[in-house]
């Protein structure tokens, strides 16, 4: 036969096919994007509209002090969202304890648009008295007309 001809052996390719992993990751991303708005819970509050900056994505979940349309106070700490009505001094004590443990945690006020401005200011002053360095206000994005 052919003496000068040596047959080359094909080596098996040792590469990982990443296409299925990318497909799975994209499906998971879509699932999380769809379910994220559904997971957020809390007290039903009709927020005023206004253009504002959103919190940075890498920040800790904020502590949300809410005032509903009836003027009652609620507190949402992120992990344990309760619909328990609190007194103003109870809100201050709980938020003060959270801020002592996590001083960098943002605190925002979520108030119904029908609430008098005075109630919102009372809550903000109470929160600052509890040791909160700065208090943010939560709004809805304005609707384009």
């Amino acid at each position: 036969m052919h003496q000068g001809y040596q047959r080359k052996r094909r080596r098996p390719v040792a590469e990982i096919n990443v296409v299925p992993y990318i497909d799975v990751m994209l499906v998971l991303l879509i699932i999380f994007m769809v379910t994220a708005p559904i997971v957020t819970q809390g007290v039903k509050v009709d927020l005023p509209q206004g253009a504002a900056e959103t919190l940075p994505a890498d920040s800790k979940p904020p502590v949300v002090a809410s005032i509903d349309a009836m003027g009652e106070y609620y507190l949402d700490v992120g992990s344990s969202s309760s619909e328990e009505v609190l007194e103003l001094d109870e809100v201050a004590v709980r938020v003060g304890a959270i801020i002592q443990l996590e001083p960098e945690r943002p605190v925002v006020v979520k108030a119904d648009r029908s609430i008098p401005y005075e109630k919102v200011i009372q809550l903000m002053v109470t929160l600052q008295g509890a040791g909160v360095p700065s208090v943010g206000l939560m709004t809805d994005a304005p609707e384009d007309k």
Side-chain angles (χ1 to χ4, degrees):
M1 298 277 206
H2 299 285
Q3 296 208 359
Y5 176 72
Q6 290 183 344
R7 188 172 179 181
K8 290 186 177 182
R9 291 185 148 213
R10 288 189 180 180
R11 291 185 152 174
V13 179
E15 292 180 7
I16 297 175
N17 188 3
V18 296
V19 174
Y21 299 113
I22 294 172
D23 291 342
V24 169
M25 291 302 293
L26 289 174
V27 168
L28 287 174
L29 178 67
I30 291 170
I31 290 171
F32 287 133
M33 287 173 55
V34 168
T35 58
I38 298 169
V39 173
T40 58
Q41 298 176 353
V43 180
K44 175 70 175 140
V45 172
D46 189 15
L47 291 173
Q49 295 179 351
E53 279 186 39
T54 58
L55 286 173
D58 61 346
S59 70
K60 292 185 178 261
V63 175
V64 181
S66 303
I67 309 172
D68 68 0
M70 303 302 292
E72 295 176 337
Y73 299 101
Y74 299 89
L75 194 61
D76 181 4
V77 183
S79 60
S80 62
S81 175
S82 70
E83 299 205 8
E84 174 187 355
V85 177
L86 301 171
E87 294 298 322
L88 193 56
D89 56 344
E90 290 178 290
V91 172
V93 169
R94 291 186 186 188
V95 171
I98 293 167
I99 291 301
Q100 281 187 343
L101 293 174
E102 301 176 84
E104 70 280 350
R105 190 132 179 215
V107 178
V108 294
V109 171
K110 179 171 118 175
D112 194 274
R113 72 173 69 204
S114 64
I115 290 299
Y117 187 60
E118 180 182 5
K119 295 267 293 180
V120 176
I121 295 300
Q122 281 179 340
L123 178 58
M124 292 178 70
V125 168
T126 303
L127 291 173
Q128 287 185 335
V132 178
S134 66
V135 179
L137 295 172
M138 191 178 283
T139 61
D140 273 340
E143 294 177 6
D144 294 333
K145 294 187 179 187

